[in-house]
Amino acid sequence: MNPRNKLLLNSVLFISCILLAGGAILYNYGYKLCWKCSTHDYYERGKEFVTHAEDELQRTGLDFIRLAADRDDMDAQLLLAESYTSKLPQGYVSATPQAQEKLSGMVVKNSTIAKNLLSKAYNRLYAGNKMTARQWYNMALLVEAGLIQRDNQTQATLDLLTQAAEAGSYPAMTRLGAFYHQQADYARAKKWLRRAAEAGVDPQPALTLGDYFFYGKSEAVNYEKAIHWYRQALQTQRELTARGTEQERLAAEDVPMARIDMAMRQLQKSRMQPPMTLTYRLVGNANNSKIFTEDRSEGPIGTITSANGEVTAQIDPDISLALSIPVNRKTFESMSEGLDWVLQSYARSRFGSYTRFHFKLTR
């Protein structure tokens, strides 16, 4: 072989060796490269490595998540923040629990870094006003725990819980119900307890609502409404224990059943009482009158109006009507019929459907 051909052959062999070595390097370490990756792609790939890989690949995943966080990816910042936190508030739910659990064992806890990242991520979410119910509730817990700073911590927590409850967070509904109950603000407590009871997650909100009507908290005693909510609690309890043994089911139903029995006995007693006198007065004229009662200081209980041969009676929208009264507005042939409907509907809603009434007009 002449020298020229030998040199050419050696050159080809050398280039082939370099290409093979380069291929081997890319094969073994190519996972550390992310061609044309966006910032969020780094987060997603890093989360995958941390969750499902081991050793060196997990470390690479952590590097990817840190890179995405440094580039202001909110999901990466949240995941890192949750992992740096030594203890998240009870009830806090991570969006990526598996990755968070894995990552927590890989980083050294650092409350300063955690607070900084939590504030960055949640403040951006808050400013965007596109938070989910879970995110609203998580943020409320973080503010309450002091992991996100606010000037008025208590009021800020309450505002965030309200946002979470409005978005459908069941834990937020129960927290608000309990808070207002402790403050003896039963009207506000009733609003959130009702939402929580209707969700059918736990019987306790319905039991508490039943107690409100049984003992007359925030309004007059109403055994009919109390029975309704006790039955709602019983239905929820039965759904929760449907797969339990007969003994477990009977034991779980004992409390709501006892409350129903208690309210039924009081309802029977109320039916035997003499009629209740409810005084009222009319303000207006023959065609348009407002109806006031002595027991309600907030304003008229309703109105009756005659126009074009039709009488319309309407109950004030702020009045919580009895379950048997589906509407707060009806039409009648005469003013007297409309007046009687308003008075009867109001009385039944406030004092119970089985209470008898004597309506007395005053001036």
Side-chain angles (χ1 to χ4, degrees):
M1 180 180 296
N2 60 46
R4 183 179 177 182
N5 289 340
K6 186 180 291 187
L7 178 61
L8 182 60
L9 179 60
N10 288 336
S11 298
V12 171
L13 289 173
F14 178 74
I15 293 171
S16 298
C17 289
I18 290 176
L19 291 174
L20 286 171
I25 291 172
L26 286 175
Y27 179 80
N28 289 301
Y29 299 99
Y31 59 83
K32 291 190 176 181
L33 303 174
C34 193
W35 304 106
K36 297 183 180 180
C37 279
S38 66
T39 297
H40 196 69
D41 289 337
Y42 275 108
Y43 161 72
E44 291 290 351
R45 193 166 186 178
K47 183 178 65 173
E48 186 71 18
F49 288 169
V50 166
T51 305
H52 300 294
E54 296 180 359
D55 303 329
E56 185 178 358
L57 200 54
Q58 275 191 324
R59 302 304 305 180
T60 300
L62 175 56
D63 292 339
F64 279 5
I65 294 170
R66 282 174 171 158
L67 176 62
D70 289 341
R71 295 180 180 178
D72 283 337
D73 184 273
M74 286 189 293
D75 292 329
Q77 289 174 342
L78 279 177
L79 178 54
L80 271 182
E82 292 165 358
S83 304
Y84 277 120
T85 305
S86 58
K87 186 178 181 181
L88 289 166
Q90 184 176 2
Y92 183 98
V93 179
S94 173
T96 54
Q98 285 183 303
Q100 190 267 327
E101 183 181 0
K102 291 277 189 179
L103 208 56
S104 293
M106 298 172 61
V107 300
V108 178
K109 302 303 178 184
N110 189 313
S111 61
T112 302
I113 295 176
K115 288 180 180 180
N116 181 49
L117 289 172
L118 285 169
S119 295
K120 278 185 178 180
Y122 272 103
N123 285 336
R124 285 178 62 194
L125 283 169
Y126 185 85
N129 199 28
K130 293 182 180 179
M131 294 169 67
T132 64
R134 175 183 55 78
Q135 289 170 334
W136 281 116
Y137 187 64
N138 281 349
M139 189 173 183
L141 296 178
L142 293 170
V143 170
E144 185 179 43
L147 293 171
I148 295 178
Q149 296 299 316
R150 287 291 185 272
D151 292 335
N152 188 331
Q153 185 179 17
T154 301
Q155 186 58 49
T157 300
L158 198 59
D159 292 342
L160 290 165
L161 284 174
T162 302
Q163 293 277 14
E166 292 287 4
S169 169
Y170 176 79
M173 294 175 198
T174 57
R175 283 283 304 272
L176 286 171
F179 173 81
Y180 288 121
H181 177 83
Q182 291 170 358
Q183 301 294 314
D185 188 347
Y186 299 121
R188 288 188 181 182
K190 186 165 62 177
K191 171 185 175 180
W192 296 113
L193 288 170
R194 182 188 297 270
R195 293 272 297 271
E198 289 171 347
V201 176
D202 187 275
Q204 189 55 52
L207 286 173
T208 304
L209 270 177
D211 289 345
Y212 278 17
F213 289 109
F214 185 88
Y215 295 106
K217 293 182 178 179
S218 84
E219 59 181 74
V221 170
N222 191 319
Y223 298 123
E224 186 181 48
K225 289 184 178 180
I227 292 168
H228 167 78
W229 289 110
Y230 290 150
R231 285 175 174 165
Q232 175 71 38
L234 177 62
Q235 178 62 30
T236 300
Q237 188 64 72
R238 283 175 173 169
E239 291 174 359
L240 292 174
T241 58
R243 296 186 178 182
T245 65
E246 183 178 1
Q247 186 175 2
E248 290 171 339
R249 292 198 302 271
L250 291 174
E253 294 171 8
D254 185 60
V255 172
M257 288 292 288
R259 301 279 180 92
I260 292 171
D261 181 65
M262 175 180 69
M264 287 293 291
R265 283 188 277 108
Q266 290 299 322
L267 181 60
Q268 292 292 336
K269 289 181 181 179
S270 69
R271 291 176 176 176
M272 301 173 66
Q273 294 176 353
M276 175 182 177
T277 299
L278 184 65
T279 59
Y280 70 96
R281 60 190 175 89
L282 300 175
V283 177
N285 53 48
N287 294 320
N288 194 339
S289 295
K290 294 180 180 180
I291 309 163
F292 293 83
T293 57
E294 289 186 351
D295 65 301
R296 188 171 190 265
S297 60
E298 297 95 318
I301 64 170
T303 60
I304 43 175
T305 305
S306 178
N308 301 321
E310 184 178 80
V311 174
T312 302
Q314 180 166 340
I315 303 169
D316 185 77
D318 292 334
I319 294 174
S320 178
L321 295 176
L323 301 172
S324 57
I325 303 171
V327 296
N328 70 343
R329 180 188 179 97
K330 289 185 71 174
T331 57
F332 298 90
E333 294 183 358
S334 67
M335 293 286 281
S336 60
E337 288 179 352
L339 172 63
D340 184 65
W341 178 77
V342 171
L343 289 171
Q344 290 284 355
S345 298
Y346 170 73
R348 288 167 57 195
S349 299
R350 183 164 177 79
F351 302 103
S353 295
Y354 294 100
T355 303
R356 291 182 295 147
F357 301 98
H358 169 65
F359 300 109
K360 183 179 180 182
L361 176 63
T362 60
R363 297 188 181 275

